[in-house]
Amino acid sequence: MTPQDAIALAQEKNAEVVDLKFMDFIGTWQHFSIPLSEYEEEIFEDGLGFDGSSIRGWQSIDSSDMLVIPDAATAVLDPFCQTPTLSLICNIVDPITKEDYSRDPRNIARKAEAYLKSSGVGDVAYFGPEPEFFILDDVRFDQNAHEGYYHVNSVEGSWNSGQEEGPNLGYKPRHKEGYFPVSPLDSYQDIRTEMIRIMEDIGIRIEKHHHEVATAGQAEIDMRFLPLVQMADALQWYKYIVKNVAKRHGKTATFMPKPIFGDNGSGMHTHQSVWKDDQPLFAGDGYGGISELGMHYIAGILAHASALCAFVAPTANSYRRLVPGFEAPVNLAYSSRNRSAAVRIPMYSPSPKAKRIEVRFPDPSSNPYLAFSAMLMAGLDGVERRLNPGDPLDKDIYSLTPEELAGVPSVPGSLPAALDALESDYEFLLKGDVFTKDVVETWVDYKRENEVDPLRLRPHPYEFSLYYDV
């Protein structure tokens, strides 16, 4: 779609407002809106100004002026605005140099796609994330000098089986038994269907939706794979739609990896493959039907997995999910069917076009532009250096002896450990100027200052149970 097409679309849809969305450094969509009278072709080249110092991890107050440049190809009608509103996703540009801003996550993703092409390895990287989330009925939390607590609730929560609900009908998925039950046990069929219909209305192709393993309304909606930048765009729309449909029904949705104790957390298993000249490069006659190039890509993911965690499992809460011994994909190995391995080779279809790998340790708290780009760069580093992933892990991880288990490395056990790993292993991200040293350092500094240190300074509620009477 050209700028002229995007202008015409606003008229065709009778839009009265144009909304300009862009991604902040950490991973939250930001926006501002303009009336249709200001929606002219010039903004697709000249952009519109805003204060970059007010965006997390971006400019200082003395150099705050930035520009948004709308991407005409992303124009769609916003499905939730009462007034007809055309929405566009934007790139960020320096107003003085007119260069793409190095800390703009979407710019990093665009550079990752360009680097893939320049490397000669392939010309497109497809990504297919499987974001999981919870649909809840109530959430309350607070933290003060003298108290700290959280409370989440869901009419589906197994803990509500004894509540007087006038009447309580008893259909509550038990812990770890929420995978695929029909209604009335699955009470969110219609809400998820509403979500996918809106996703399809804006052009996102959906493969399926279902209740997930946990109690309390855990859900998953799977999108058809797309090229890297397009999929990151689609994932932002996905989150936006899920949250707003939930709110429409008087509920709240969260992509927090581990909001409920004692049950499964929400991951984002990420399928990926590289193609060239419309041919899949991961299909071959090796283990799991994977090519030699695909094996090198897997090796790159595993070699850099600890550093990748800083982007693909980027919150302290991520490591409430990634705990050894609890069926989490923490083991830095690959397998064709073992779901406790960090990388799995799906075996659903014999078609070469369906051959891909699934990286299982990411979660949906990620900034997708950064997460997908980092994984691609790690995989390409494995291809370029012809790394070997070693032998597959096809055994039941829980039946391994301590001696066998000692030979299987695992992902970092905390956000500080992941940030330390990134600090010592980021050169692979700098190739092609995809990430810059400034981006890596800013990411690490921001996470430590705004997430790691504030958590370290506050007592945890459970510590009172453990230590009050010492």
Side-chain angles (χ1 to χ4, degrees):
M1 186 181 296
T2 66
Q4 294 84 359
D5 294 331
I7 296 289
L9 183 63
Q11 298 169 345
E12 176 188 330
K13 299 294 185 180
N14 297 314
E16 299 177 29
V17 175
V18 176
D19 195 53
L20 304 174
K21 296 179 171 68
F22 61 95
M23 183 64 114
D24 74 8
F25 190 55
I26 305 306
T28 301
W29 247 1
Q30 310 291 332
H31 80 128
F32 64 90
S33 302
I34 60 174
L36 196 64
S37 59
E38 297 295 312
Y39 184 49
E40 301 174 342
E41 284 188 35
E42 286 76 12
I43 71 170
F44 290 94
E45 184 172 347
D46 298 337
L48 293 168
F50 72 101
D51 176 11
S53 69
S54 296
I55 304 300
R56 298 182 300 174
W58 278 7
Q59 295 293 88
S60 59
I61 193 71
D62 60 317
S63 57
S64 61
D65 288 352
M66 304 293 290
L67 294 174
V68 297
I69 305 290
D71 183 343
T74 67
V76 295
L77 199 66
D78 191 295
F80 296 103
C81 294
Q82 183 175 354
T83 300
T85 300
L86 194 73
S87 177
L88 296 101
I89 298 175
C90 301
N91 300 312
I92 308 302
V93 170
D94 185 288
I96 306 300
T97 66
K98 301 297 184 182
E99 293 179 351
D100 292 323
Y101 184 42
S102 62
R103 295 186 194 173
D104 172 16
R106 196 169 190 263
N107 176 39
I108 292 170
R110 290 159 61 213
K111 289 192 291 183
E113 287 190 323
Y115 178 73
L116 171 63
K117 294 177 182 178
S118 70
S119 73
V121 173
D123 49 36
V124 61
Y126 288 111
F127 282 78
E130 298 176 347
E132 297 167 343
F133 55 94
F134 281 87
I135 302 171
L136 302 169
D137 288 277
D138 187 45
V139 56
R140 291 179 282 118
F141 50 89
D142 202 357
Q143 182 74 53
N144 301 299
H146 68 293
E147 65 179 356
Y149 70 91
Y150 71 90
H151 175 87
V152 298
N153 200 13
S154 166
V155 68
E156 264 200 3
S158 61
W159 55 84
N160 281 322
S161 60
Q163 286 290 325
E164 293 186 14
E165 295 179 344
N168 185 327
L169 300 179
Y171 297 110
K172 317 286 186 187
R174 287 177 286 271
H175 286 288
K176 299 183 180 295
E177 293 187 23
Y179 194 64
F180 281 19
V182 298
S183 63
L185 208 59
D186 174 6
S187 63
Y188 292 125
Q189 170 76 16
D190 290 338
I191 292 180
R192 294 194 309 269
T193 296
E194 183 177 334
M195 291 171 178
I196 71 165
R197 290 182 67 180
I198 294 174
M199 291 178 189
E200 290 179 324
D201 285 346
I202 67 164
I204 299 174
R205 185 172 173 182
I206 301 299
E207 294 186 333
K208 63 178 179 292
H209 75 81
H210 58 85
H211 203 290
E212 254 300 338
V213 172
T215 188
Q218 193 183 33
E220 179 177 312
I221 297 172
D222 293 340
M223 297 176 283
R224 178 78 168 178
F225 62 86
L226 287 168
L228 191 157
V229 173
Q230 289 183 45
M231 179 51 78
D233 290 345
L235 184 53
Q236 286 309 108
W237 273 113
Y238 177 113
K239 289 185 173 183
Y240 181 74
I241 290 167
V242 164
K243 292 174 182 178
N244 278 282
V245 170
K247 183 174 183 290
R248 179 184 286 175
H249 288 268
K251 299 182 183 294
T252 178
T254 181
F255 291 89
M256 186 176 176
K258 189 73 171 180
I260 294 173
F261 168 67
D263 213 333
N264 285 38
S266 292
M268 188 177 72
H269 307 150
T270 305
H271 298 253
Q272 48 202 279
S273 62
V274 176
W275 290 49
K276 187 174 185 178
D277 299 328
D278 292 325
Q279 297 299 313
L281 300 184
F282 283 7
D285 55 7
Y287 172 85
I290 290 287
S291 66
E292 183 179 357
L293 183 144
M295 283 295 179
H296 294 322
Y297 190 100
I298 290 172
I301 295 288
L302 295 176
H304 298 297
S306 293
L308 287 177
C309 279
F311 290 113
V312 307
T315 67
N317 186 252
S318 299
Y319 300 88
R320 310 299 186 201
R321 167 181 171 258
L322 293 176
V323 179
F326 290 88
E327 300 183 12
V330 300
N331 302 291
L332 294 181
Y334 70 99
S335 174
S336 61
R337 304 185 76 174
N338 190 338
R339 292 173 185 261
S340 69
V343 177
R344 189 174 74 93
I345 302 168
M347 302 300 290
Y348 298 128
S349 171
S351 169
K353 292 186 176 181
K355 189 53 62 179
R356 74 270 191 195
I357 69 164
E358 177 192 38
V359 182
R360 294 179 61 82
F361 52 93
D363 69 55
S365 66
S366 304
N367 180 329
Y369 299 100
L370 301 182
F372 298 163
S373 298
M375 285 187 281
L376 177 62
M377 296 303 290
L380 290 178
D381 184 62
V383 172
E384 292 159 6
R385 295 167 55 201
R386 301 184 64 81
L387 298 180
N388 187 333
D391 295 327
L393 179 66
D394 288 332
K395 298 179 181 180
D396 179 358
I397 190 70
Y398 305 110
S399 68
L400 294 181
T401 66
E403 292 75 18
E404 290 175 312
L405 195 58
V408 182
S410 62
V411 299
S414 67
L415 179 57
L419 296 173
D420 289 345
L422 178 61
E423 275 191 318
S424 63
D425 177 28
Y426 63 85
E427 293 295 330
F428 70 99
L429 297 170
L430 305 184
K431 294 179 180 179
D433 198 38
V434 174
F435 288 75
T436 64
K437 188 175 181 181
D438 169 72
V439 164
V440 173
E441 290 176 345
T442 302
W443 182 264
V444 170
D445 290 346
Y446 182 92
K447 287 285 177 176
R448 284 182 176 149
E449 181 179 346
N450 294 278
E451 298 178 34
V452 173
D453 288 345
L455 282 169
R456 287 196 302 192
L457 290 169
R458 287 166 170 81
H460 189 286
Y462 193 61
E463 291 175 2
F464 284 80
S465 297
L466 293 173
Y467 309 127
Y468 186 76
D469 58 351
V470 296

